[in-house]
Amino acid sequence: MSCSLKAGFPVSVSDETIIKNRPIGYFGVCPSIVNLQFAHSKSREFMGKPIQFSDQKFFSNRNAKASRHIPTHYAQASICISRGLRWWEKTLMPNMIEIHSAQELVGSLLNAGDRLVIIDFYSPGCGGCKALHPKICQLAESNPDAIFLKVNYEELKTMCHSLHIHVLPFFRFYRGAEGKLCSFSCTNATIKKFKDALAKYGTERCCLGPAKGLEDSELMALASTGQISRKLQPNFTKGDNEKEESVLKEIILSSKETKMGFKEGNAVLMA
């Protein structure tokens, strides 16, 4: 017996076969039929009576129902793509913190108390930074009381220009009320420079007064460009006019250097 299903294509099957093999809940449509392309039949009648139907709506609903039965692990496997850690994310220690803004850097220095803080300026494309990274992680592990702040030059280029960072890798040491202790650039070949600074400033000491953090001129430079809140810039009294003038001069000089750096294509020396 020949009949035309709602999908609009002829199928030659017997009534007995349809009754026996009809899947429950799918209106007697065999799953293999769903995968067939639409073949519109010229006949729009069934047993002499006109019928109306919507092919696309029926099959879109059918496919939607079928998709709900896809196993979860198959769906997860299709969208889950494993990504290996980038080199600056590998072997990080708990006392190594990634900095994402100037505000975060200033706050981390002010909240460090008497602990030694080391700022590590690096760039993802710097070969010297990549080679030195494993050793810095080892030194961070052997000095758990120190805080290592990692600053991505490419992500915070404007801030790095304001802090006069023009060579990579570059390091700065800070501690409590003493503020900045030293700053230098080193590579694998000159790692002794880093170890010597760590041995010199890594010993516990008591610093009277709150943590100083960045220099006043650096804070004002960051505030003038909107990178930090105005509340964090230094407040000068009437007796500090000379100090304020010197700070403003430093900011003018730093802004000129920053503009020159941008004009030169934001070039930075990488070891």
Side-chain angles (χ1 to χ4, degrees):
M1 176 180 178
S2 177
C3 68
S4 178
L5 298 177
K6 278 193 173 184
F9 42 79
V11 179
S12 298
V13 292
S14 65
D15 293 340
E16 184 179 358
T17 305
I18 293 177
I19 294 173
K20 290 182 178 180
N21 300 330
R22 179 176 57 192
I24 299 175
Y26 290 105
F27 308 101
V29 180
C30 179
S32 61
I33 297 176
V34 179
N35 296 325
L36 298 177
Q37 296 181 348
F38 293 108
H40 293 282
S41 174
K42 294 180 179 180
S43 175
R44 296 285 175 170
E45 296 182 354
F46 179 69
M47 298 182 67
K49 296 181 180 181
I51 57 174
Q52 295 180 356
F53 55 88
S54 176
D55 297 341
Q56 295 180 355
K57 183 177 180 180
F58 174 79
F59 278 93
S60 63
N61 293 339
R62 171 65 179 85
N63 292 334
K65 289 180 180 180
S67 63
R68 296 175 187 173
H69 298 282
I70 298 176
T72 306
H73 61 277
Y74 287 126
Q76 292 176 346
S78 62
I79 63 175
C80 181
I81 302 175
S82 61
R83 179 182 67 84
L85 290 175
R86 294 166 289 191
W87 67 260
W88 61 92
E89 298 173 336
K90 294 180 179 179
T91 63
L92 290 179
M93 298 296 113
N95 57 335
M96 302 181 76
I97 304 171
E98 187 74 24
I99 297 298
H100 299 287
S101 67
Q103 194 87 26
E104 187 178 352
L105 176 64
V106 174
S108 298
L109 288 172
L110 295 178
N111 294 327
D114 292 335
R115 297 179 66 181
L116 177 65
V117 181
I118 302 169
I119 305 179
D120 176 7
F121 297 90
Y122 72 96
S123 172
C126 174
C129 301
K130 181 178 180 180
L132 190 61
H133 178 71
K135 291 187 177 180
I136 299 299
C137 292
Q138 292 176 1
L139 291 172
E141 184 180 13
S142 58
N143 295 270
D145 292 332
I147 302 174
F148 289 71
L149 304 179
K150 296 183 64 62
V151 176
N152 189 331
Y153 178 88
E154 301 301 331
E155 182 181 343
L156 299 171
K157 190 171 293 186
T158 304
M159 185 192 77
C160 291
H161 278 289
S162 300
L163 300 179
H164 309 290
I165 307 301
H166 302 294
V167 59
L168 297 174
F170 197 83
F171 301 92
R172 280 189 176 186
F173 284 59
Y174 292 82
R175 183 186 283 276
E178 297 181 46
K180 185 171 67 174
L181 303 173
C182 65
S183 59
F184 54 87
S185 176
C186 77
T187 62
N188 259 337
T190 57
I191 189 62
K192 186 178 183 300
K193 188 188 301 185
F194 187 97
K195 293 180 179 179
D196 291 343
L198 193 59
K200 181 178 180 179
Y201 302 110
T203 56
E204 295 184 4
R205 64 183 76 182
C206 180
C207 301
L208 299 178
K212 182 179 179 181
L214 297 179
E215 299 290 338
D216 291 343
S217 60
E218 295 173 334
L219 290 174
M220 291 188 68
L222 294 174
S224 64
T225 56
Q227 297 181 68
I228 63 173
S229 172
R230 292 283 180 177
K231 296 179 181 179
L232 295 178
Q233 68 179 2
N235 296 318
F236 297 107
T237 61
K238 293 182 179 179
D240 294 333
N241 290 334
E242 294 182 0
K243 183 178 180 181
E244 183 178 3
E245 289 179 1
S246 63
V247 169
L248 290 175
K249 288 180 181 179
E250 290 184 21
I251 292 176
I252 294 173
L253 292 175
S254 65
S255 63
K256 288 182 179 180
E257 291 179 1
T258 301
K259 289 180 180 178
M260 291 179 62
F262 282 118
K263 286 182 180 180
E264 294 173 359
N266 299 331
V268 60
L269 296 177
M270 297 183 184

